[in-house]
Amino acid sequence: MRMRKPKFFRAAILAVATWANLAHAIEPDKIFEMVSPSIVLIVAPTSERGFNQGSGVVVAPETVVTNCHVLKKAKSISVKHGQEYLQAQLQYPDVERDLCQIKVPALKAPPVKMGTMANLRIGQRVYTLGNPEGLELTFNEGLFSALRGTEGNKRIQISAAITHGSSGGGLFDDQGRLIGITSSGFKDGGLGLNFAIPADYIAELRKRGSEALASLAAQPADIKPSPKVKPDAPSEIPEAPATKSRRKLDRDEMLAQFKPGREIQANEQGQAFTLKVLENGGWVRRYCPGCNVKFGDGRLRLEPDAGKICMDWSFVTYPDSGCYAAFQTGDSGYLLESLDGGRPIVYRMIN
């Protein structure tokens, strides 16, 4: 006959295991010493006077991962490590997850140890390290709050602050393992709502980035970005597609195109999706044209008198928002051109 262990005995074992986990947590100053050599500053000029600035994490020899939005419209990419500036090239873009991998020849920095979101516990201490506002190697402590988003596109919610320049930095657990790439924060109200992209997705970057570049290269000639992006070593993030002729939509055409119930098939530089306009002025973005898989919710704001169409996507599942001007580029082709320097969207009406 099998004897059952008393409840207090099982509780004692659980308490000992919990204590052991806490006892093995590494002190914050030691975590900083471990991971700071693997954090870089990224400077990405977008024009003669403008530039993007963010953070990056060394994940392999001469290899850095950051947010794609840090590299948006970049003419070149520079990485600062210590006192040294090095030129870098984009390798693999995964715009859907906002993860980009860049190659940095001659970078002498150790890769981080990789962790996983699977072991996260609500209330667990986590640490961010990045370059907010250009203040290099700023170290913050916070708590893991929740996993948000959709399957395959999760976000790690934390209480540690994330501000401009933190994008692309590292989120580490209490063992100094990389568990996320810091990406966005809620700007209003000071609620401590900040998010990171799970480090688990870094393992899929090469495959997904290669597929995205191949899809981009296969687009029709009249909607390819300029200059052409090559899968081996693209030097910049693609800009607006070249079109032979276009005509800006007037007020009535915009209202007719984006009326409630309308479905739109679109392509945002290699990422194909459908959009369905909702009754409340918002819309739902769905990947895989024709299927019923919902990727993320967004809010559509029409400003026809100003000639603008604005989108506010959920920053948990898709961090990019902005306003666009709409153009007709052919008998059945249309283009949303960003007014904020973002990616263009080629689209057509489904119904």
Side-chain angles (χ1 to χ4, degrees), residues 160-200:
I162 297 175
T163 58
H164 179 71
S166 299
S167 293
L171 175 67
F172 299 91
D173 64 12
D174 56 12
Q175 301 296 311
R177 296 171 296 207
L178 183 73
I179 54 175
I181 300 295
T182 54
S183 60
S184 60
F186 191 71
K187 298 179 181 180
D188 299 324
L191 298 177
L193 300 177
N194 303 287
F195 297 88
I197 303 160
D200 305 64

Side-chain angles (χ1 to χ4, degrees), residues 301-342:
R301 292 184 289 113
L302 280 181
E303 299 183 21
D305 293 329
K308 292 195 301 185
I309 299 168
C310 298
M311 309 177 201
D312 296 314
W313 293 105
S314 166
F315 60 89
V316 177
T317 57
Y318 195 82
D320 205 10
S321 298
C323 294
Y324 299 79
F327 297 88
Q328 183 175 6
T329 59
D331 292 338
S332 60
Y334 298 92
L335 169 71
L336 291 177
E337 184 175 87
S338 174
L339 300 175
D340 312 306

Side-chain angles (χ1 to χ4, degrees), residues 10-338:
R10 295 196 298 272
I13 292 176
L14 179 60
V16 170
T18 301
W19 177 86
N21 286 336
L22 293 173
H24 286 90
I26 301 175
E27 291 297 319
D29 60 328
K30 299 300 182 184
I31 291 178
F32 178 81
E33 290 179 13
M34 288 172 56
V35 303
S36 58
S38 305
I39 302 298
V40 301
L41 174 72
I42 295 177
V43 180
T46 57
S47 64
E48 291 184 4
R49 298 183 179 181
F51 63 92
N52 296 333
Q53 184 171 284
S55 308
V57 182
V58 181
V59 297
E62 300 184 342
T63 304
V64 170
V65 168
T66 186
N67 292 146
C68 291
H69 73 257
V70 172
L71 309 179
K72 184 163 65 173
K73 293 201 71 178
K75 305 299 183 184
S76 62
I77 305 170
S78 294
V79 167
K80 183 176 185 285
H81 184 252
Q83 299 303 312
E84 187 176 25
Y85 279 92
L86 300 168
Q87 291 299 305
Q89 292 179 317
L90 177 68
Q91 268 191 314
Y92 303 116
D94 186 350
V95 176
E96 180 184 342
R97 287 175 171 169
D98 197 21
L99 284 179
C100 276
Q101 179 174 306
I102 58 177
K103 189 71 174 176
V104 193
L107 175 63
K108 295 179 175 61
V112 293
K113 293 182 179 179
M114 302 301 293
T116 174
M117 62 180 164
N119 297 329
L120 288 173
R121 309 177 310 277
I122 293 179
Q124 174 182 341
R125 292 200 176 278
V126 293
Y127 304 90
T128 62
L129 185 57
N131 311 296
E133 305 296 342
L135 300 174
E136 296 180 47
L137 298 181
T138 296
F139 191 57
N140 270 317
E141 182 182 55
L143 301 177
F144 166 62
S145 302
L147 276 178
R148 307 290 187 186
T150 56
E151 190 62 37
N153 204 358
K154 295 289 188 182
R155 291 293 185 270
I156 300 172
Q157 181 183 333
I158 57 175
S159 63
I162 297 175
T163 58
H164 179 71
S166 299
S167 293
L171 175 67
F172 299 91
D173 64 12
D174 56 12
Q175 301 296 311
R177 296 171 296 207
L178 183 73
I179 54 175
I181 300 295
T182 54
S183 60
S184 60
F186 191 71
K187 298 179 181 180
D188 299 324
L191 298 177
L193 300 177
N194 303 287
F195 297 88
I197 303 160
D200 305 64
Y201 296 156
I202 293 174
E204 302 174 28
L205 243 176
R206 180 172 184 173
K207 178 178 182 295
R208 290 170 61 91
S210 297
E211 290 174 351
L213 289 171
S215 175
L216 185 64
Q219 288 185 22
D222 65 338
I223 61 171
K224 284 184 180 179
S226 179
K228 182 179 179 181
V229 174
K230 297 179 181 179
D232 51 355
S235 60
E236 63 181 58
I237 298 297
E239 294 187 40
T243 54
K244 296 180 180 179
S245 63
R246 62 183 187 178
R247 178 185 63 83
K248 191 171 184 178
L249 300 186
D250 62 28
R251 180 183 187 279
D252 292 337
E253 288 174 316
M254 287 176 58
L255 290 172
Q257 279 199 359
F258 296 95
K259 65 183 181 181
R262 176 62 60 88
E263 289 199 27
I264 298 165
Q265 182 175 321
N267 189 298
E268 188 175 14
Q269 298 198 332
Q271 298 292 332
F273 55 92
T274 59
L275 295 168
K276 183 172 183 179
V277 182
L278 305 179
E279 293 291 337
N280 62 1
W283 59 16
V284 176
R285 167 178 267 197
R286 298 185 300 187
Y287 271 76
C288 179
C291 68
N292 293 319
V293 178
K294 185 176 75 171
F295 172 74
D297 296 328
R299 185 163 61 92
L300 172 68
R301 292 184 289 113
L302 280 181
E303 299 183 21
D305 293 329
K308 292 195 301 185
I309 299 168
C310 298
M311 309 177 201
D312 296 314
W313 293 105
S314 166
F315 60 89
V316 177
T317 57
Y318 195 82
D320 205 10
S321 298
C323 294
Y324 299 79
F327 297 88
Q328 183 175 6
T329 59
D331 292 338
S332 60
Y334 298 92
L335 169 71
L336 291 177
E337 184 175 87
S338 174

